[in-house]
Amino acid sequence: MNTLYFITGNKGKVHEATEKFRPLGINIRQKNLGYPEIQTDTLEDVAAYGVTHIQKQGIDHGFILEDAGIFIDGLQGFPGVYSSYVYHTIGLQGILDLLANTLKCTAVFRSVFAYAEPKGDPHFFIGECLGKILKEEKGSQGFGYDPIFIPDGSDRTFAQMDTSEKNQFSHRGKSLEKLYNFLNEKKFMKN
Ligand code: IMP
């Protein structure tokens, strides 16, 4: 099996990528190198900055990294690119409190993967998942906002799904699918 290095500190993301790629002959290996998450409006900018930072450290193999977030319509897209920070500060209950008086509970999860070689521009792969925010937490699997998000086409939260079911619906499942098609064309698996 070929190894693909995933630069992240998030074990949940690694688990989802591993489940998605294992049957396709790619072994995901986590590298928790850390990179600054700049303050900007788009996930692409955060991912691009991360790639440049990692390349400057002198990495000697190809790698992927991801920036993701949840954009809640009733909160004008908040927390969006700040999802990680907001999760670790006000948490899910803080988000539910902000939404207490709003009827608009639609939201979208976005994922942007970047694939890069030690030098050169990255390739981006984007996935989205539309859905709605619940009034309370449900389920215990997954991570982050999973207990309050129900994807369109299901009546259960991400936290009530196992990893392979979440991957069928999720933003990350979709961006990883595009990444896989790219790697397949590049003959990554046969290197
Ligand atoms: P980052 O991509 O590391 O900046 O993290 C984005 C944050 O968004 C995570 O820390 C989670 O709180 C949240 N998030 C991203 N993807 C998911 C997901 O699939 N489920 C639940 N929360 C997520």
Side-chain angles (χ1 to χ4, degrees):
M1 269 215 244
N2 242 326
T3 296
L4 183 58
Y5 291 90
F6 188 177
I7 313 289
T8 181
N10 185 322
K11 285 197 170 10
K13 291 183 177 186
V14 174
H15 186 63
E16 289 173 22
T18 301
E19 282 266 323
K20 182 87 184 173
F21 277 1
R22 192 190 297 116
L24 304 169
I26 298 177
N27 173 42
I28 296 289
R29 189 174 299 170
Q30 180 179 14
K31 265 203 172 180
N32 191 1
L33 294 180
Y35 54 89
E37 290 208 1
I38 53 163
Q39 293 207 351
T40 174
D41 289 341
T42 70
L43 299 174
E44 284 88 341
D45 286 348
V46 177
Y49 189 88
V51 165
T52 308
H53 181 88
I54 297 295
Q55 287 173 326
K56 279 187 183 157
Q57 309 297 304
I59 196 160
D60 62 359
H61 48 70
F63 61 93
I64 57 172
L65 56 77
E66 187 213 32
D67 202 49
I70 188 165
F71 298 74
I72 300 174
D73 295 327
L75 301 176
Q76 289 78 46
F78 185 80
V81 292
Y82 307 109
S83 295
S84 179
Y85 178 74
V86 169
Y87 178 78
H88 290 107
T89 51
I90 64 172
L92 298 185
Q93 193 53 52
I95 289 287
L96 295 180
D97 290 347
L98 289 174
L99 283 170
N101 295 320
T102 166
L103 294 174
K104 203 168 184 180
C105 58
T106 52
V108 56
F109 258 122
R110 293 206 175 95
S111 153
V112 176
F113 265 93
Y115 171 87
E117 302 283 347
K119 287 196 169 60
D121 291 336
H123 299 264
F124 293 106
F125 307 92
I126 298 169
E128 288 193 346
C129 177
L130 299 173
K132 60 175 187 285
I133 303 291
L134 277 185
K135 292 281 177 207
E136 59 183 8
E137 297 181 33
K138 276 193 186 160
S140 57
Q141 305 190 69
F143 67 97
Y145 297 79
D146 282 349
I148 60 169
F149 182 82
I150 295 191
D152 286 353
S154 176
D155 55 6
R156 288 174 306 133
T157 67
F158 275 162
Q160 292 174 301
M161 299 179 180
D162 65 20
T163 305
S164 78
E165 189 182 3
K166 180 181 170 186
N167 272 342
Q168 284 167 32
F169 285 98
S170 80
H171 49 310
R172 187 163 301 104
K174 290 174 186 145
S175 53
L176 285 171
E177 189 82 33
K178 292 180 189 171
L179 170 64
Y180 173 75
N181 291 336
F182 167 82
L183 294 174
N184 201 13
E185 268 175 36
K186 213 170 121 53
K187 308 270 182 282
F188 177 84
M189 280 67 86
K190 301 188 185 80
N191 281 343

